[in-house]
Amino acid sequence: MALYEINFLTLEEKQATVWDKGVFLDNYITEDIKINRYSINKFFVEVVYDGEQNAFIECRSF
């Protein structure tokens, strides 16, 4: 999978791809959100989780 391919996926498809192909690297936690960073091939994906809403709200790739 390439960076441009993941950018066209829905949020649910991005999450499934990260869980299937991603390698966990690090996380960042604040009071409001948690961010997990993953590596897929030669790019990174950040999955943003909102604890108050109990939901994934964003998937950023770069």
Side-chain angles (χ1 to χ4, degrees):
M1 172 153 296
L3 176 62
Y4 66 89
E5 292 174 321
I6 200 165
N7 288 335
F8 288 107
L9 300 177
T10 65
L11 180 60
E12 292 80 18
E13 292 171 330
K14 288 178 184 178
Q15 290 171 352
T17 301
V18 168
W19 305 154
D20 185 45
K21 298 180 181 188
V23 176
F24 177 78
L25 299 175
D26 195 15
N27 63 0
Y28 175 76
I29 300 173
T30 67
E31 287 185 23
D32 300 331
I33 61 170
K34 298 176 183 176
I35 300 173
N36 289 338
R37 182 170 293 154
Y38 297 86
S39 171
I40 299 177
N41 294 337
K42 296 184 179 186
F43 63 93
F44 301 103
V45 178
E46 289 182 339
V47 178
V48 182
Y49 176 78
D50 185 344
E52 289 182 10
Q53 295 179 13
N54 194 29
F56 294 100
I57 55 173
E58 189 177 0
C59 222
R60 308 175 197 153
S61 53
F62 56 95

